[in-house]
Amino acid sequence: MLAQAQHAAPFTDGAGMLANYLPILIFLIIAGALAVLLLVLGSLLGRLSARHRGDAAKLSPYECGFEAFEDSRMKFDVRYYLVAILFIIFDLEIAFLFPWAVSLPRIGGFGLAVMGVFLFILVIGFAYEWKKGALEWD
């Protein structure tokens, strides 16, 4: 009975456990208040000290300095998006090689065989895309 009371005692005093977190709570409140104060102070000083020059070139909707000569909603060629997606796919697949190379001594021959299958599938996909002309840019 006494052993059960000793084990149950630390869990009954919830206020004592929460008191240990009081310095962290105070720190978070002070840090949050300081962050808000610096944000507001920086915004106010920036608005008060900046000079606004509203000339026509700066107020134009284009940064290049001349008016658009085509409709801004013109259609892009699908090949642009295809090349971008293929780049992302191959870039991510090649990123799998780095952790594999680091862990190769631990995974041994089985890991080498599995990565060989992975690279074989990758090469087949690359050859298919090349043959279909997905990487051609006219």
Side-chain angles (χ1 to χ4, degrees):
M1 181 75 173
L2 183 62
Q4 289 177 349
Q6 287 176 348
H7 291 295
F11 298 109
T12 59
D13 187 23
M17 286 178 46
L18 289 177
N20 292 334
Y21 290 105
L22 185 63
I24 297 172
L25 180 64
I26 292 171
F27 173 75
L28 288 175
I29 290 172
I30 291 173
L34 185 62
V36 169
L37 175 74
L38 290 176
L39 185 74
V40 169
L41 187 64
S43 295
L44 287 176
L45 288 176
R47 288 183 192 272
L48 293 175
S49 65
R51 287 186 278 168
H52 178 68
R53 291 187 221 164
D55 59 24
K58 286 188 177 183
L59 295 177
S60 70
Y62 302 100
E63 294 179 356
C64 58
F66 57 87
E67 294 298 322
F69 48 88
E70 289 184 10
D71 186 19
S72 62
R73 292 179 291 270
M74 67 181 216
K75 294 181 180 179
F76 281 97
D77 193 6
V78 162
R79 287 178 290 181
Y80 173 78
Y81 299 108
L82 183 64
V83 169
I85 289 171
L86 291 176
F87 172 76
I88 291 171
I89 289 172
F90 282 110
D91 189 44
L92 289 176
E93 288 177 348
I94 295 301
F96 286 128
L97 291 175
F98 294 113
W100 169 78
V102 170
S103 65
L104 185 60
R106 283 183 272 145
I107 58 177
F110 178 73
L112 184 64
V114 169
M115 187 52 74
V117 171
F118 174 75
L119 289 176
F120 180 71
I121 293 171
L122 184 68
V123 168
I124 288 175
F126 183 70
Y128 176 76
E129 291 169 2
W130 194 337
K131 184 171 172 72
K132 284 292 193 178
L135 302 175
E136 298 291 327
W137 190 263
D138 295 327

